[in-house]
Amino acid sequence: MRRRAVLAAGLAAPALAQSPWPRRPITLIVPAAPGGATDVLGRVMAQSLGTTLGVAVVVENRGGAAGSIATEAAAAANPDGHSIAIGMISTLAVNPHIYPRLRYDPQRDFAPIGLIAQVPMVLLAQKRLAEGGLAGFIARVRAAPDTISYGSAGAGSNVHIGMVAFLDAAGLQMVHVPYRGSGPMTIDLVAGNIDSGMTGTPAALPLIRADRMAALGTTAARRLSQTPDVPAISETLPGFEAMQWYGLVAPARTPPEIVARLHAATNAALADEQVRHRLADEGALPDPRSAEEFRAFIVAELERWGVVARRNNLRPNE
């Protein structure tokens, strides 16, 4: 019996030796079209992860349905560590509350790897609505409910949920004009076809610096170093904060030792000065956490945005 056990162990060892990880390029599924902040952040992380893990990390862009299409594909991928995805506020905390036929569960279908960064948003408006700053804007909207418009990148998108949180906190009613992405929304905002809109810091900075739009407030808890003259919305609405956030997830049942290596590689990237500089260029604030802390963060965000979605009766394509 002892000889048989030793023989079995000897046969198993070469099999394990022949199955290192990673064995081939890793696919990083990005739930957005090329060119936007999500894509840029994904490519920065892909490059750094590839260097640390010694294998190419290939970005696969899949847009549509506020990131749901890509996230469904990630949930269904082989859990062997060769497919991972960007998970973010819209896909993991908002979509489950507004898409009734969503084919993934943020808690059941993913193994959290780690949080990457949080990105503040900026509330922009036409200058004619900006006299008196944010307080003046709120007063105008309150005096004329459902007449002043705001654009978004689509129902459930990061910027939509940020705007909904603002309206909820201020007790305001505005006209929602959804677009297929932040780019088209920003173009229409600059053209004067909509009254206001919220967008991530990277897209907002050029408009602010060119004095094209009035910047009424940022969604971070405090003023940003990039825009010290733009107040935080919390200065008018105490306690307000609504951040875009991005992390890495793997399909559920990915071996824990592989998730641990991916987590270590993620935190190594966030400690790298070049990566931090690239993230800063995108207005992103690195926020490394343990995998378990990221899991708890997702649960808390699911609960928070579920309350907002139900209270505002959010639905797709609103």
Side-chain angles (χ1 to χ4, degrees):
M1 179 67 71
R2 175 177 172 78
R3 184 173 180 276
R4 197 177 305 160
V6 170
L7 179 60
L11 290 173
L16 289 173
Q18 292 169 8
S19 302
W21 177 89
R23 300 187 300 275
R24 59 180 184 275
I26 295 170
T27 297
L28 172 58
I29 299 173
V30 173
T38 306
D39 176 60
V40 171
L41 186 146
R43 291 179 187 278
V44 169
M45 293 303 298
Q47 183 176 1
S48 183
L49 290 174
T51 299
T52 300
L53 297 172
V55 67
V57 178
V58 181
V59 171
E60 181 180 307
N61 295 93
R62 294 196 186 190
S68 294
I69 294 172
T71 309
E72 287 174 359
N78 189 343
D80 63 356
H82 292 95
S83 293
I84 59 177
I86 294 284
M88 54 192 188
I89 181 174
S90 58
T91 59
L92 299 183
V94 178
N95 290 355
H97 302 295
I98 69 173
Y99 284 87
R101 294 182 179 82
L102 205 63
R103 289 182 290 183
Y104 66 85
D105 182 291
Q107 298 182 73
R108 183 191 63 219
D109 294 333
F110 295 103
I113 295 169
L115 191 61
I116 299 170
Q118 300 201 48
V119 180
M121 294 172 276
V122 181
L123 174 58
L124 302 172
Q126 304 298 335
K127 291 184 178 181
R128 59 182 169 78
L129 298 171
E131 186 177 350
L134 182 60
F137 178 78
I138 289 173
R140 288 180 183 84
V141 175
R142 188 166 287 147
D146 290 323
T147 60
I148 297 175
S149 63
Y150 75 93
S152 81
S157 62
N158 295 345
V159 292
H160 180 224
I161 199 66
M163 194 69 187
V164 168
F166 163 69
L167 298 178
D168 202 44
L172 302 178
Q173 297 177 46
M174 297 179 68
V175 178
H176 179 210
V177 183
Y179 290 82
R180 292 183 180 275
S182 290
M185 184 273 288
T186 304
I187 291 171
D188 252 16
L189 182 61
V190 172
N193 296 325
I194 51 176
D195 296 317
S196 64
M198 196 173 276
T199 190
T201 308
L205 288 176
L207 301 178
I208 296 170
R209 289 165 180 163
D211 198 28
R212 302 289 299 274
M213 303 297 304
L216 298 176
T218 70
T219 63
R222 293 173 293 278
R223 296 193 183 204
L224 305 175
S225 59
Q226 300 100 321
T227 56
D229 295 331
V230 179
I233 292 175
S234 63
E235 294 175 33
T236 301
L237 301 175
F240 181 85
E241 184 179 15
M243 303 283 277
Q244 299 179 11
W245 52 262
Y246 303 87
L248 288 176
V249 295
R253 298 180 301 283
T254 298
E257 60 273 18
I258 291 178
V259 174
R261 285 189 61 187
L262 285 164
H263 172 74
T266 299
N267 280 3
L270 297 179
D272 182 87
E273 282 304 315
Q274 274 192 315
V275 172
R276 294 179 74 88
H277 182 72
R278 289 290 307 279
L279 293 181
D281 286 345
E282 293 301 313
L285 310 173
D287 192 0
R289 306 187 187 198
S290 71
E292 283 309 308
E293 287 172 336
F294 184 30
R295 183 185 297 279
F297 178 79
I298 292 171
V299 171
E301 288 286 280
L302 259 171
E303 182 177 349
R304 176 190 179 184
W305 296 112
V307 171
V308 173
R310 287 189 295 273
R311 188 158 55 219
N312 293 275
N313 196 31
L314 294 188
R315 295 290 182 270
N317 300 321
E318 285 189 346

